[in-house]
Amino acid sequence: MTGPKKSVNSHLETGTKDSISLAGHSEMFSRELLNAIPQQIWTTDEQGILNNVNDQVSRDLGIENQVIISAGWSIFMHPDDLSHSLANWNESLETGHEYVNEVRLRFADGYYYWHLIRAKRILHNQGYIWVGSNTNINEQKANESRKDEFISIASHELKTPLTAIKGFTQMLSRQISETKASSFLHRITSQLERLEKLIADLMDVSKINAGKMAFNLAEFDFSKMLRETVAGLQQVYPKYQLILQDQAPIHFKGDQFRLEQVVQNFVANAVKYSPDADLVLIKATLEQDYLIVSVTDYGIGIKPEHLSKLFDRYYRADNSSARFEGLGLGLYISADIIKRHGGSFWIESEQGKGSTFHFKLPLSVGQTILPEVKIPDRYKDKYISIKCNNENGIMHVEWYGHQDMHSVKHGGKLMIEYLRNNRCSKVFNDNRAVLGTWSEASDWAANVWLPLMELAGLRHFAWVFSASAFSQLSAKKSVENEEATSDVRFFANAENAWQWLHALSPKKS
Ligand code: ADP
């Protein structure tokens, strides 16, 4: 391979030895120190060609350092880990971003061992080099899979007697007419249902972790599913008013059973976390190219710092763990179901006032977005509007409605083109009309889009926030690039953003 594309898989290729030493120490001391570290340490040149490995590598792989350097990592990697490793490494070489990956490496004993590989690009001798470490995480991985396996077996085993107990309880309820006994039976049944739900959640989590959650995709009447689910839940929670709003007829292709599970989880949470309120609103609407479902409650609400973590496994906000029962798995499972349908989720909440949980499912993926205006200094479509002012060098961008990977990439690329062609250096980026979340696109924005904007001439970027907390999180993540050279500032108030940009210099900078 030649040219810059050599970097594509070069850390897995051969290279020449180029030594590095620690500041203030001889090369020999540095090498002794590196060799004493009980962890694999390595370096590559700027193009990603392996040029140093410490002795731990040869101890583990059972091959001399120089041979490993000449051969590269690829021949030691598990074949199933190669393609994603290459893709991640390419991206790091292109963006300069930290490389983090988990792979299996074959040791001298012929077995593969899991490693966490991390590498950072650093300045060295007026150029860049990559410094990496491979940490053996095989024991951790084995423990994790033992735990997952245990959960999977235990939940299966628990399910069988539970089903039998439930059956006998139902038979008994039909036989018994005495009021007191039937009230006890009723209570037993509701506790059994809780147990059944906990076991089902544990089984789902083990399926997700093992990558074995299967989906049956078929077209179904989403509105009907919602009506029936809400009616069923109303029976379960007679003390609450579950109100289904705005029922437009909606047909959707997805796994009906799993999507019903998401709605059930959102509504059950709305009820559980509303000890002093009795109203829950459920809404399904079609907006742009999405189906959006929202569940609103007037319960305890959530502190802003918990919002982005609630969909993690076992995560429970501090105000709920002591007062309400649960494992913190429902939202984790819901998040997986939504993501597997190409969708996303977000929350709006105020502590003490209540919360709205939303999820968004795409009706059609990757549609061509047609422009309404497209002239050299102006562009507009249903997702974005761009106006370039050649006088003051400010590009005025407005984003509309719900965004996803496709629409953000589309708008982001147009911004690069218009910024460059109109020689603008300042951007007024207005997100006030943005709804929900677009977190799926924020890594791309930080690693690819922002560096390209800077190459196209960006110097100052005023980002006016959307009201949605999740959109704000996506915006912040989009500029998390340690090597960014432009000045990016966030504003809640558009007026302040304009003032900042105008004060920089009235003419082009
Ligand atoms: P669980 O309810 O079993 O803890 P979930 O995964 O369904 O598990 O929810 C995770 C956490 O999210 C809950 O522990 C709670 O802190 C928070 N949460 C979920 N729904 C709501 C809601 N409607 N209002 C307030 N907090 C909520």
Side-chain angles (χ1 to χ4, degrees):
M1 268 186 270
T2 53
K5 276 289 156 201
K6 190 172 175 55
S7 59
V8 168
N9 58 4
S10 42
H11 98 300
L12 309 163
E13 290 183 349
T14 64
T16 52
K17 200 169 151 107
D18 173 23
S19 59
I20 56 163
S21 52
L22 304 174
H25 293 283
S26 68
E27 195 199 319
M28 185 132 102
F29 176 75
S30 308
R31 185 146 282 282
E32 274 172 16
L33 201 66
L34 285 174
N35 287 336
I37 299 175
Q39 190 178 19
Q40 299 181 7
I41 308 286
W42 48 272
T43 60
T44 77
D45 66 11
E46 188 170 358
Q47 277 74 44
I49 295 179
L50 192 63
N51 53 19
N52 267 294
V53 294
N54 72 345
D55 284 352
Q56 184 65 36
V57 179
S58 51
R59 280 196 289 273
D60 286 341
L61 306 186
I63 291 175
E64 271 181 42
N65 282 356
Q66 200 47 51
V67 179
I68 296 165
I69 291 169
S70 309
W73 291 116
S74 62
I75 61 161
F76 302 101
M77 272 187 200
H78 193 287
D80 292 350
D81 300 336
L82 261 178
S83 72
H84 74 87
S85 301
L86 282 173
N88 288 359
W89 180 239
N90 286 342
E91 200 182 306
S92 292
L93 289 176
E94 269 164 31
T95 60
H97 251 232
E98 185 179 358
Y99 172 71
V100 182
N101 196 15
E102 290 184 359
V103 300
R104 281 157 288 183
L105 294 177
R106 200 183 61 238
F107 274 22
D109 60 8
Y111 290 104
Y112 283 98
Y113 293 84
W114 277 105
H115 283 75
L116 169 69
I117 306 194
R118 301 184 67 169
K120 278 203 162 193
R121 196 175 75 169
I122 59 164
L123 267 173
H124 177 67
N125 286 347
Q126 280 138 18
Y128 285 112
I129 61 165
W130 288 86
V131 181
S133 64
N134 305 348
T135 311
N136 190 329
I137 52 165
N138 208 54
E139 195 54 34
Q140 268 159 269
K141 281 271 182 190
N143 284 340
E144 249 173 60
S145 75
R146 263 180 230 128
K147 187 192 70 197
D148 288 340
E149 206 179 319
F150 171 75
I151 293 179
S152 166
I153 294 169
S155 42
H156 266 106
E157 292 301 315
L158 287 168
K159 204 181 158 199
T160 321
L162 183 72
T163 315
I165 297 173
K166 217 179 144 193
F168 289 126
T169 317
Q170 276 165 359
M171 279 159 69
L172 209 55
S173 337
R174 276 184 229 121
Q175 308 284 323
I176 287 178
S177 52
E178 203 231 313
T179 350
K180 204 157 185 191
S182 63
S183 120
F184 285 147
L185 274 173
H186 185 72
R187 276 148 79 180
I188 292 174
T189 310
S190 83
Q191 294 302 320
L192 284 175
E193 273 159 8
R194 274 185 54 200
L195 205 53
E196 206 171 36
K197 170 85 180 76
L198 287 174
I199 293 171
D201 279 358
L202 285 171
M203 284 169 77
D204 281 348
V205 168
S206 21
K207 277 188 212 147
I208 294 173
N209 293 341
K212 285 186 189 149
M213 175 88 111
F215 287 86
N216 297 317
L217 303 184
E219 183 143 327
F220 67 96
D221 184 340
F222 196 92
S223 332
K224 184 165 169 250
M225 177 277 272
L226 212 53
R227 269 195 313 275
E228 288 173 1
T229 310
V230 172
L233 287 164
Q234 185 64 78
Q235 306 263 313
V236 182
Y237 306 113
K239 293 198 187 111
Y240 286 78
Q241 279 187 71
L242 309 184
I243 296 180
L244 187 56
Q245 301 176 312
D246 297 352
Q247 260 298 343
I250 301 166
H251 283 266
F252 185 76
K253 188 169 180 203
D255 187 319
Q256 173 167 355
F257 166 75
R258 290 293 180 188
L259 291 170
E260 200 177 301
Q261 186 180 351
V262 176
V263 175
Q264 277 176 350
N265 179 234
F266 279 22
V267 175
N269 278 347
V271 167
K272 174 158 74 167
Y273 297 106
S274 298
D276 304 318
D278 64 359
L279 185 62
V280 176
L281 308 175
I282 302 111
K283 195 162 123 180
T285 46
L286 290 176
E287 282 177 42
Q288 290 162 313
D289 302 319
Y290 307 101
L291 159 59
I292 295 167
V293 180
S294 314
V295 176
T296 301
D297 66 61
Y298 300 90
I300 62 170
I302 300 154
K303 281 193 203 155
E305 62 264 33
H306 294 299
L307 283 180
S308 62
K309 301 188 198 122
L310 291 186
F311 290 88
D312 292 351
R313 187 156 54 139
Y314 307 123
Y315 192 88
R316 311 195 70 214
D318 53 10
N319 60 351
S320 43
S321 41
R323 288 168 62 200
F324 305 93
E325 285 164 349
L327 291 178
L329 291 179
L331 291 182
Y332 172 74
I333 298 166
S334 298
D336 191 75
I337 297 172
I338 296 165
K339 277 193 226 147
R340 295 277 299 272
H341 282 83
S344 52
F345 46 80
W346 68 102
I347 313 166
E348 281 153 31
S349 185
E350 213 178 317
Q351 212 189 359
K353 299 224 163 130
S355 318
T356 301
F357 280 69
H358 307 263
F359 70 89
K360 169 177 103 179
L361 301 170
L363 294 171
S364 49
V365 183
Q367 263 187 352
T368 313
I369 303 169
L370 295 173
E372 292 158 29
V373 179
K374 191 174 183 185
I375 53 175
D377 60 353
R378 276 195 65 199
Y379 177 91
K380 187 168 188 320
D381 63 40
K382 61 181 170 178
Y383 290 103
I384 192 168
S385 139
I386 301 175
K387 283 183 219 145
C388 294
N389 184 331
N390 286 312
E391 277 306 299
N392 58 19
I394 299 180
M395 184 165 92
H396 182 168
V397 182
E398 284 174 26
W399 296 81
Y400 310 115
H402 292 282
Q403 301 284 335
D404 63 9
M405 190 74 186
H406 180 56
S407 66
V408 169
K409 273 193 173 175
H410 161 81
K413 284 178 190 161
L414 284 163
M415 283 172 77
I416 297 167
E417 183 187 321
Y418 276 79
L419 188 88
R420 187 193 310 108
N421 294 351
N422 289 280
R423 297 168 182 271
C424 290
S425 61
K426 290 171 269 183
V427 177
F428 178 83
N429 190 52
D430 192 345
N431 273 18
R432 279 175 297 176
V434 173
L435 302 164
T437 184
W438 44 278
S439 57
E440 62 268 46
S442 47
D443 278 346
W444 173 82
N447 299 334
V448 180
W449 171 79
L450 185 63
L452 289 175
M453 281 291 280
E454 288 173 345
L455 278 177
L458 175 70
R459 297 288 168 270
H460 304 281
F461 197 95
W463 199 312
V464 184
F465 269 148
S466 147
S468 154
F470 270 66
S471 173
Q472 293 181 13
L473 287 170
S474 310
K476 286 186 192 146
K477 251 185 96 195
S478 293
V479 294
E480 270 175 13
N481 185 329
E482 286 163 22
E483 292 177 12
T485 51
S486 50
D487 189 357
V488 182
R489 297 195 188 181
F490 293 106
F491 296 87
N493 177 309
E495 194 52 42
N496 294 346
W498 271 123
Q499 276 172 9
W500 175 60
L501 286 181
H502 281 284
L504 285 166
S505 91
K507 287 270 162 222
K508 282 187 174 185
S509 56

